[in-house]
Structures are given as C-alpha cells and as structure tokens.
Amino acid sequence: MRPGFFHYRRRMDRRFLARALLFALTALVLALVIFATSQLRPLLESLATTRVSNTVNRIVFEAVNEAIANGEISYEQLISFEKDNEGKITAVHSNMAACNRLQSEILDIILARIDQVSARELSIPIGTLSGSTLLAGRGPRISVRMESVGSSTAKFENEFIDAGINQTKHQIVLNIDVYVSILLPGFTTVTQVSNAVTVAETVIVGTVPDTYTYFSSAPETYTEDAKDHILNGN
C-alpha cells in the first residue's frame, strides 16, 4: 500500500478517537449532572421555589405600586359614600365595575411580566447546592424557568378596623394568588405565591354606617356578604 494511505488512515483514526473521547466526556458530564440533580433534588427544588417566589413578590408589588402611582387605584374611584342631610355617612358602596376592571388589568400585567423573566435571572449556581459559603454563587448554573398558570387570581376585599373613639379605618386590600410552574432539569413543580396588598384606605369619622356593600369580588363570598348586608341594613 502507498504511504499516503497509511497517513490518511492514522489521521482518520485520530479523529475518530478524538470524537469518541469527546462523546464519552460529554456523556460522563451529563450523567454526573443527572446524578447530582437527582440526589440534590429536594435542595434544588427548595432554592428554586424561594428564588421564584421572591421574583414573583417583586413583580406583584411593582405592578401594584405603579398602578397606585399612576392614579389607576384610588379610594375615591373604588368606593362612594351616601350621606344624610346632616352630612353623616349612612352607606358605603363599592364600584364593582372599576374593581373588576382593575383586578383583571393588574393580574394581566403581573402574568405578562412573569413570562418575561429570563432563565438566567432564576438560574442557580451549582456551588450554591454544596452548602459551602465559599462555593456559594460559583460554578456552572442550573437553568430554572417559570411559567404562569391560568388559575392565578386577583380579588379586592375590604377591612373595617377600629381606629379609635368614634373612628373606623376602611382599608381596600388586593389579594393576589399567583400559581407558577417551575421547570427544572428532569422535573417540574408548581408553587403558589400569595400577597395581600393594601391599595387604599380612609378613616370614617362617626359611627359605622348602617348600610355598606362589601368590597369582595370573590364569587364564593357573595352569599355571606348578602347576609351581612341585610343584617347591617336592619
């Protein structure tokens, strides 16, 4: 055989060996990652859930604070008073149309921002899983992604709190429950992040009105609210 043939064959053998070594190394690294992930799954799930919850909390408060700062949420927009000839408040009514519109808009904003969060922002360095303070934040990062789940809700509710002699504080609270699916290498989990944010309040001077409509926009409370409304009206 010609010398060129043996030279070509040796070169092909070296290429094949290099590719085989690269494949074996890649398979080994992948196997180690899968093994480490399975062994450290509880810790990884806990860290990922904490990171996702903190991110969702930040998004919720930013969205609500922006709505308040922009004047989209105000006490006057959401409730109205009825007064008698002496100026005494006799009834407090909620603007349900405004409530439903605002809670829908705010929830849409929150869910849209959640879907825009990058996997890089949520990723967890492998060194953090070691528990060592020296390795925390170091090493390759494990990808973490989250997706909003359709069962998330935002509901307005009201609270009446005794604020002193002949005074009652009326607070309007936005309860937001966000469900997110957390996508990790090899498995997925779902977590609920709940926030109760006071969006507006006022102090009612005088006796509590004999008639008021509750601010809850949750269907499951309608029956109980109606009973309270009738009792208060009596």
Side-chain angles (χ1 to χ4, degrees):
M1 296 184 180
R2 292 175 298 176
F5 174 77
F6 290 105
H7 177 72
Y8 174 76
R9 184 170 182 178
R10 286 196 298 270
R11 187 170 61 181
M12 291 298 295
D13 288 343
R14 285 196 298 269
R15 288 182 179 178
F16 176 78
L17 180 61
R19 291 177 180 176
L21 289 175
L22 180 61
F23 177 80
L25 181 61
T26 302
L28 178 61
V29 171
L30 182 60
L32 290 175
V33 170
I34 293 176
F35 175 76
T37 300
S38 63
Q39 294 297 311
L40 298 173
R41 174 171 174 171
L43 177 59
L44 177 58
E45 183 175 350
S46 175
L47 288 174
T49 300
T50 300
R51 185 156 298 194
V52 166
S53 297
N54 290 339
T55 301
V56 173
N57 285 333
R58 173 179 56 79
I59 291 174
V60 167
F61 281 100
E62 286 179 353
V64 173
N65 288 336
E66 287 176 11
I68 295 174
N70 294 335
E72 298 176 21
I73 300 179
S74 67
Y75 190 88
E76 292 74 17
Q77 288 178 317
L78 300 178
I79 68 101
S80 60
F81 292 138
E82 282 188 14
K83 299 181 179 180
D84 58 18
N85 295 332
E86 299 177 353
K88 175 185 175 182
I89 298 175
T90 58
V92 179
H93 299 291
S94 61
N95 184 345
M96 292 308 298
C99 293
N100 293 332
R101 176 180 58 81
L102 284 170
Q103 66 189 22
S104 178
E105 290 178 355
I106 292 174
L107 184 61
D108 287 344
I109 292 173
I110 291 171
L111 297 183
R113 292 185 181 181
I114 287 175
D115 291 337
Q116 293 171 359
V117 175
S118 66
R120 174 68 183 178
E121 181 179 339
L122 299 173
S123 61
I124 300 174
I126 290 180
T128 303
L129 298 175
S130 67
S132 170
T133 55
L134 295 177
L135 297 177
R138 302 179 182 273
R141 306 180 75 89
I142 298 176
S143 176
V144 179
R145 295 177 54 237
M146 66 175 175
E147 296 178 352
S148 57
V149 179
S151 54
S152 301
T153 59
K155 302 172 184 176
F156 279 110
E157 294 184 357
N158 76 115
E159 294 182 0
F160 289 94
I161 304 171
D162 185 8
I165 299 175
N166 211 30
Q167 293 183 344
T168 302
K169 179 185 293 184
H170 180 203
Q171 293 182 327
I172 302 171
V173 180
L174 181 59
N175 291 311
I176 302 174
D177 294 321
V178 178
Y179 294 84
V180 288
S181 178
I182 305 175
L183 287 67
L184 294 160
F187 67 98
T188 301
T189 185
V190 176
T191 188
Q192 175 186 352
V193 183
S194 299
N195 286 279
V197 186
T198 300
V199 298
E201 65 180 22
T202 192
V203 174
I204 301 174
V205 179
T207 58
V208 177
D210 293 331
T211 305
Y212 56 87
T213 57
Y214 271 96
F215 218 76
S216 174
S217 51
E220 61 270 20
T221 67
Y222 287 166
T223 301
E224 193 64 31
D225 288 351
K227 292 179 180 178
D228 288 341
H229 175 79
I230 293 172
L231 290 174
N232 285 322
N234 290 336

